[in-house]
Amino acid sequence: MVTLEQIRKDMEAQFALDSAIQSVEVNADTLDEALADGAVQLDSKVSNLEYEIIEKGSDGFLGLAKKPWKVRIYQTAEAIAKKKKVMADADFDTEHFDEEIKSVDQDGMFYIRHFGDSICLKVTLPCGKGRPVELRQIVSEAKRTDTLSLDEDLIKKLSKSGTDNKYEVVGHYKHVPAGDALLVIDVSKDEMLATVTVTPPALSGAEVSAEQIIRNLEIQGVVAGIENDKITEFVDNPVYNVPCEVAAAIKPQDGRDAYMVYHFETDSTKLRIKESKSGNVNFKELNQIQNVVKGQPLAQKMPPERGKAGKTLTGRYLEAKNGKDIRIPLGKNVELDKDGVTIIASENGRVVFEAERINVEPVLELDAVNIKTGNIDFLGTVIVKGNVEDGYDVKASGNIEVGGTVGQSHLKTETGDIIVSQGIFGHDVGVIQSGGSLWAKFIQSAKVEVEKFVIVSDSIMNSEVTAMKRVILNGKKAQITGGHLFATEEICAKNIGSPGGGAETILEVGFDPRLKQRLAEIQDEQNSLMRELEDTENNIVTLENFKKQRRSLPKEKEDTLNNLKNRKQEIVVKSEEYASEVEQILQRLHELKIFGKVKAFGTVYSGVKIYVRDVVDEVRTDVKSVTFFFENGFVRRGKYEEPDMTDVKAPEGYSS
């Protein structure tokens, strides 16, 4: 078993050998090839080499009279110094290494060989719980009829200390040269492999040593690829009359071709439905869209590698092929990063790999949104040619355009507009949220929240609509029937309400709908807190009276009393926070400059409630062609005014 000390000595010996090889002479077709060959021989990098041109090469004419370069190559002084320092500073993790060695149990071993007229001994020490070699076994094997002398004291010493992977002379025998083992070195015609074939020695004949094999290899012209470990193995455990490998050429290593590393799934058929942490599968989440953002790395080209030259046993240069380069598959809306090899997205959208190119599509076109597509979540614009069916949702960072109808669905866009060419059938479930405006033919039984305008050509029925600017109905019907509509600036339609009453219709303008909604939420929470505070105070009074009468309370009731007092304090603090927020909201609403208007160029039917700021006008009789506005603390009625459409721009290809 190889010991730590043996490894150290082997490394030192190898370093001494490497240090001695500080220059080589190389013949090659080009200077680059010569340097690559020199790097192999000197076990160094090309950047650590210096060279002297002995004979300049020539490409000849049409490949004729070609002349190789002859170059003497050196390692730089810095490289040699660095190599020595690495060896000097080498620090093995002895404790860890010893633990590994101890974990393997192996008996000690010994080898008796007869080299020349000497009896030689090699001893390897045991590992772990392995047994050491026994002196009597060594002596018994070493003593033969032709043995002349044997140093048993030295054998005893070496059996305990080992021989450091070398053969030591421990005696002599009567050598008969005629009985020596014979060896034959065979070098293949292509100079890639050398083998040794040895005949067994006769009695009193010498065995083959490692030095003999190496010397015969050199005589055959072998100067590279000598495999000392295989030679040592053969000497320790010889196999006679069978060719055994003792040297192998340094084979050239072709460079690896360039290739792409993709940071997304290039095969869309491998995209799988998402699973929840519990392992449940939502078949509406088909996970078919791979969203990317601008600047996101999509793929990286790994450059080709330069081939490493080889060398035959006789030192002849073996050329290696350099890896082939590839074209970077740039498609639409992608670009190269500063490093020149990383592809990044130049737009938000979905990444696809088509026609051997990487593309980012900022627009997603679908025939419909249904069981085939699942829910849609896309960083870009979504165009649906048909319908968004019940139960399926669409989320986009850009516009959402629907050519058909929208059912019991949730449509949400962060900054874009939503355009529904037909209409919205919410069935009291559908929700539409837009960071821009909503354009639709009609809205029925849906909840709508937009940052700008709601523009409808037909009707809004039984819906909750909130617009941070205006709600405008400007088609032939332009009817608002039932529901609750909020707008900061104005609401305009032909007819509002319905003859004979029917569903309650409430319109509110002149304030920030979100602030108004938050105000209502806070007021509800305050009322709930006041009821809880009243109950808490009553319970505290009851327990304190009980304590006065009994002078003490059981532990459970005492804990309850303390908890009630703590909760009372929490309610008081929370109530004060709500009161402060209410004051701030009322202040902002009061400072709002836009008073708001409600306009009808047809009829506002009785039963409609119109709020301008915080003042209500309950319409008791039908009124035609009217504008409701705020003046001197009251809601006034005036002549119908045309809606303000100056900053309302219809989406391309859509007309209300």
Side-chain angles (χ1 to χ4, degrees):
M1 182 65 184
V2 180
T3 65
L4 178 60
E5 189 62 30
Q6 288 172 340
I7 291 174
R8 283 176 174 157
K9 290 184 178 180
D10 288 346
M11 289 186 67
E12 290 172 357
Q14 184 62 44
F15 176 68
L17 182 62
D18 292 344
S19 298
I21 306 175
Q22 294 187 6
S23 69
V24 292
E25 285 190 11
V26 177
N27 294 329
D29 292 339
T30 66
L31 182 59
D32 286 342
E33 291 176 353
L35 289 171
D37 188 11
V40 172
Q41 294 190 51
L42 295 173
D43 190 23
S44 182
K45 296 180 180 179
V46 173
S47 59
N48 293 334
L49 301 181
E50 295 177 347
Y51 62 91
E52 173 188 347
I53 298 175
I54 300 173
E55 191 172 331
K56 191 174 182 180
S58 171
D59 292 336
F61 179 71
L62 298 177
L64 301 175
K66 188 174 183 180
K67 187 178 179 182
W69 290 71
K70 188 173 183 180
V71 183
R72 180 176 287 109
I73 301 175
Y74 307 86
Q75 292 187 75
T76 63
E78 293 81 0
I80 295 172
K82 185 177 180 181
K83 196 171 183 181
K84 288 181 178 179
K85 186 176 186 301
V86 169
M87 187 64 197
D89 294 344
D91 183 17
F92 288 92
D93 185 353
T94 308
E95 183 179 347
H96 177 69
F97 195 82
D98 287 345
E99 286 178 2
E100 288 188 358
I101 293 175
K102 291 176 182 178
S103 66
V104 178
D105 297 331
Q106 186 169 336
D107 294 342
M109 299 177 67
F110 72 91
Y111 306 91
I112 298 291
R113 294 291 176 265
H114 294 74
F115 300 142
D117 62 355
S118 300
I119 301 172
C120 299
L121 171 66
K122 178 179 176 180
V123 177
T124 60
L125 298 176
C127 290
K129 298 179 181 179
R131 294 174 296 179
V133 296
E134 296 183 7
L135 176 62
R136 60 181 181 81
Q137 288 181 318
I138 299 174
V139 173
S140 175
E141 187 170 327
K143 284 184 177 180
R144 298 192 320 193
T145 57
D146 57 356
T147 299
L148 298 177
S149 64
L150 202 62
D151 189 342
E152 294 191 20
D153 290 337
L154 179 58
I155 293 174
K156 182 178 180 180
K157 177 183 177 183
L158 295 176
S159 66
K160 294 180 179 179
S161 64
T163 61
D164 195 17
N165 205 36
K166 296 183 294 185
Y167 281 93
E168 300 286 349
V169 177
V170 294
H172 294 84
Y173 72 106
K174 185 179 180 180
H175 179 212
V176 180
D180 288 352
L182 301 177
L183 68 87
V184 176
I185 298 293
D186 181 34
V187 179
S188 62
K189 291 182 179 180
D190 60 3
E191 302 177 5
M192 298 298 288
L193 183 67
T195 59
V196 62
T197 304
V198 180
T199 60
L203 182 64
S204 300
E207 297 171 284
V208 172
S209 67
E211 290 76 11
Q212 281 180 281
I213 296 174
I214 292 172
R215 186 166 59 251
N216 277 270
L217 284 169
E218 292 173 347
I219 292 171
Q220 291 291 331
V222 177
V223 296
I226 295 175
E227 299 175 300
N228 291 301
D229 56 339
K230 292 188 177 181
I231 293 173
T232 300
E233 175 62 24
F234 178 84
V235 172
D236 290 345
N237 301 288
V239 179
Y240 294 113
N241 298 319
V242 175
C244 296
E245 179 182 330
V246 288
I250 301 171
K251 294 182 179 180
Q253 298 179 18
D254 292 343
R256 187 201 65 225
D257 293 342
Y259 65 97
M260 296 299 300
V261 174
Y262 296 94
H263 304 317
F264 64 96
E265 180 54 67
T266 58
D267 186 354
S268 60
T269 62
K270 293 182 180 180
L271 295 173
R272 294 291 180 262
I273 297 174
K274 290 182 179 179
E275 289 187 8
S276 65
K277 294 181 180 179
S278 61
N280 295 327
V281 174
N282 183 353
F283 288 97
K284 292 181 181 180
E285 301 293 341
L286 300 183
N287 194 31
Q288 294 181 345
I289 299 172
Q290 298 183 84
N291 285 308
V292 296
V293 297
K294 183 177 180 180
Q296 179 176 334
L298 305 177
Q300 184 177 10
K301 185 182 88 167
M302 307 306 293
E305 290 183 348
R306 185 179 180 83
K308 295 181 180 179
K311 183 182 289 189
T312 66
L313 297 178
T314 59
R316 182 165 52 86
Y317 175 81
L318 296 175
E319 185 178 0
K321 295 180 181 179
N322 293 328
K324 296 179 181 179
D325 204 355
I326 59 172
R327 177 183 59 82
I328 296 180
L330 288 175
K332 297 178 181 179
N333 301 312
V334 297
E335 61 187 9
L336 283 179
D337 204 353
K338 294 178 182 178
D339 61 8
V341 294
T342 302
I343 300 175
I344 61 175
S346 57
E347 298 285 347
N348 292 349
R350 70 163 179 164
V351 59
V352 293
F353 189 72
E354 293 179 347
E356 300 301 319
R357 292 178 184 272
I358 298 173
N359 302 283
V360 172
E361 297 179 350
V363 178
L364 175 64
E365 294 191 18
L366 303 167
D367 291 332
V369 176
N370 50 31
I371 192 171
K372 292 182 179 179
T373 64
N375 294 333
I376 302 299
D377 189 345
F378 183 63
L379 291 177
T381 292
V382 177
I383 298 176
V384 183
K385 297 176 182 178
N387 302 331
V388 178
E389 296 184 5
D390 289 347
Y392 291 91
D393 303 335
V394 179
K395 182 180 179 181
S397 63
N399 292 348
I400 299 175
E401 301 179 24
V402 181
T405 61
V406 175
Q408 302 176 38
S409 304
H410 185 183
L411 270 58
K412 183 177 181 180
T413 173
E414 297 174 1
T415 58
D417 297 329
I418 296 178
I419 302 101
V420 183
S421 296
Q422 295 304 312
I424 301 167
F425 293 99
H427 299 287
D428 297 322
V429 176
V431 177
I432 310 296
Q433 294 176 294
S434 172
S437 300
L438 168 65
W439 303 73
K441 185 176 182 180
F442 63 84
I443 303 172
Q444 182 175 318
S445 303
K447 182 177 181 180
V448 175
E449 296 177 359
V450 302
E451 290 297 317
K452 295 182 180 178
F453 311 105
V454 173
I455 310 297
V456 175
S457 62
D458 197 341
S459 64
I460 298 177
M461 299 178 61
N462 301 317
S463 296
E464 184 179 331
V465 178
T466 300
M468 296 306 294
K469 287 194 174 182
R470 284 163 249 161
V471 177
I472 298 175
L473 289 80
N474 56 0
K476 291 182 180 180
K477 292 180 64 176
Q479 176 78 33
I480 298 175
T481 306
H484 198 162
L485 279 65
F486 298 81
T488 300
E489 297 178 7
E490 67 177 62
I491 298 174
C492 181
K494 179 181 180 181
N495 299 316
I496 301 174
S498 58
E504 184 179 49
T505 305
I506 301 174
L507 278 60
E508 300 189 49
V509 294
F511 57 86
D512 186 328
R514 293 199 187 117
L515 290 179
K516 188 78 170 180
Q517 183 177 359
R518 178 57 182 162
L519 182 61
E521 290 174 356
I522 292 175
Q523 290 171 341
D524 288 342
E525 290 176 9
Q526 277 186 315
N527 292 334
S528 177
L529 282 177
M530 290 302 101
R531 289 193 294 270
E532 184 182 356
L533 179 60
E534 184 178 353
D535 292 340
T536 302
E537 289 177 338
N538 290 335
N539 291 331
I540 290 173
V541 170
T542 300
L543 287 173
E544 286 182 339
N545 289 335
F546 187 79
K547 186 176 182 179
K548 288 178 181 179
Q549 294 174 359
R550 299 293 182 92
R551 296 186 179 180
S552 65
L553 288 174
K555 187 177 183 308
E556 290 184 5
K557 291 188 179 298
E558 188 68 41
D559 292 341
T560 301
L561 178 60
N562 292 331
N563 291 336
L564 288 171
K565 289 180 178 180
N566 291 335
R567 180 54 185 160
K568 177 183 176 180
Q569 184 62 30
E570 290 174 0
I571 293 172
V572 170
V573 171
K574 192 65 177 176
S575 180
E576 290 175 353
E577 291 175 358
Y578 281 150
S580 176
E581 187 176 355
V582 166
E583 186 177 349
Q584 292 174 9
I585 291 174
L586 292 174
Q587 181 66 24
R588 287 201 294 270
L589 289 173
H590 180 73
E591 293 172 354
L592 192 64
K593 295 180 180 180
I594 300 172
F595 288 163
K597 295 180 179 180
V598 175
K599 304 173 182 179
F601 59 92
T603 304
V604 178
Y605 294 101
S606 62
V608 173
K609 293 181 181 179
I610 295 176
Y611 289 84
V612 183
R613 303 205 60 145
D614 288 331
V615 182
V616 63
D617 184 350
E618 295 189 29
V619 179
R620 302 188 182 280
T621 59
D622 298 352
V623 57
K624 297 181 180 292
S625 188
V626 63
T627 297
F628 296 84
F629 60 93
F630 185 84
E631 185 179 75
N632 297 326
F634 294 94
V635 177
R636 305 293 186 181
R637 300 179 184 181
K639 293 182 179 180
Y640 169 74
E641 301 173 5
E642 290 290 336
D644 182 7
M645 300 291 287
T646 54
D647 56 347
V648 180
K649 184 179 179 181
E652 185 177 349
Y654 179 84
S655 59
S656 58

